[in-house]
Amino acid sequence: MMFGGSSAAPEQPMLGMFMRYRREHLGLTQDDVARRMFVSLSLYRKLENGERPMSPERLADWSRAMDAPAWLLRKMASLALPMASAVEAGVWPPALRAEDIEHLEALPFPAFYHRTPEYEILAANQAAREAFPWLLPTRADAERPANVIEQMMTEPIAREVLINWELIVHRLLFILRVNAPGTVAPERLAQILETCRVNPEFERFWTTDLSEEQFNDSLVLVRDPETGGRMALTMRSYNAWHPDNCPYQLFVLTPRADPTPSVSAPIRATSAG
């Protein structure tokens, strides 16, 4: 924050960081983007430098000019328009309610509660415990929680069981890299990264981006370690809309018939008549 007279505008350095990330990803100059947004170069520089607050109208102009993907727009909106998050941050052990555990256990397919974007494993139902015994939460008195990303990068069985392990891990690390600033405690982020660096492929995953198709692909291919057979699953992550005081994300895996990546446009409902 800038301090001083009442006319001082709040700095938004992280917002500017994402603006610069998208601009450089597209190979554009600041002048190029200013022209696309129909603003002066001076104003655009102040926005990207975090010296001017980003209004909803400016954010809409920027997203259209830059053809911003949905994940990036959501992140930038959360920075430009701060609001109470539905995801609990930095609390360990978690305060899991009995009703939420009952809800998790009632699901017939593997399901977990995660704290995102760092992907701490808070709870797993019976189906998840049987299918993925290496992705279970730690005891509440443990020094720190079990973590999906750490387990994926350090447990050899992860690569044996998950046929498309590389894409899944790359996506998890990409989400962490994009969403950790301002959300994950720096010391916890450092722990996760230090743990993951033992894997020689970490730097490649951490420093490269994903396409929109890769980011939105919901396919998980699992190999049965006993029979060698393949199973296709659909992964979904949910934040509770109601009740809105559920501070963890529900992650569910369900069987699917088509074992191909889901990168096509969604089917939209049409009204009859």
Side-chain angles (χ1 to χ4, degrees), residues 55-102:
S55 67
E57 294 77 18
R58 286 269 187 254
L59 182 57
D61 290 343
W62 179 88
S63 65
R64 283 191 293 268
M66 304 300 283
D67 192 24
W71 64 262
L72 180 57
L73 185 55
R74 284 194 298 268
K75 178 62 178 179
M76 292 187 65
S78 70
L79 293 171
L81 307 169
M83 60 189 70
S85 172
V87 179
E88 184 180 45
V91 177
W92 178 255
L96 297 172
R97 298 173 300 200
E99 66 187 74
D100 293 328
I101 295 298
E102 291 172 354

Side-chain angles (χ1 to χ4, degrees), residues 124-252:
N125 68 0
Q126 182 62 34
R129 293 192 293 272
E130 293 175 358
F132 304 99
W134 45 279
L135 280 176
L136 302 185
T138 58
R139 295 165 50 96
D141 59 357
E143 182 179 348
R144 69 189 205 191
N147 183 276
V148 176
I149 304 174
E150 291 180 340
Q151 295 297 97
M152 288 282 194
M153 292 291 284
T154 61
E155 288 291 336
I157 192 174
R159 195 157 195 166
E160 295 173 12
V161 171
L162 299 174
I163 298 171
N164 57 338
W165 170 88
E166 181 165 329
L167 175 57
I168 293 169
V169 171
H170 194 179
R171 181 165 45 237
L172 288 169
L173 283 168
F174 178 75
I175 292 171
L176 180 65
R177 175 164 65 92
V178 168
N179 290 291
T183 303
V184 180
E187 58 273 18
R188 181 61 184 126
L189 178 60
Q191 288 176 336
I192 296 171
L193 299 185
E194 181 180 4
T195 300
C196 291
R197 281 194 172 95
V198 302
N199 189 310
E201 297 187 74
F202 168 78
E203 293 297 337
R204 175 170 63 89
F205 291 146
W206 183 249
T207 57
T208 56
D209 294 335
L210 287 176
S211 67
E212 281 294 284
E213 290 78 12
Q214 291 171 318
F215 184 84
N216 287 309
D217 184 11
S218 63
L219 175 66
V220 174
L221 289 173
V222 176
R223 178 182 291 110
D224 187 320
E226 296 182 359
T227 67
R230 289 165 42 121
M231 176 182 293
L233 304 172
T234 295
M235 61 177 179
R236 287 287 186 272
S237 296
Y238 302 93
N239 288 330
W241 182 260
H242 179 80
D244 64 359
N245 61 348
C246 184
Y248 19 84
Q249 189 176 80
L250 175 65
F251 180 86
V252 185

Side-chain angles (χ1 to χ4, degrees), residues 43-63:
L43 174 56
Y44 179 79
R45 283 175 174 165
K46 290 178 180 178
L47 291 170
E48 190 173 293
N49 291 337
E51 298 168 2
R52 280 285 185 89
M54 178 74 84
S55 67
E57 294 77 18
R58 286 269 187 254
L59 182 57
D61 290 343
W62 179 88
S63 65

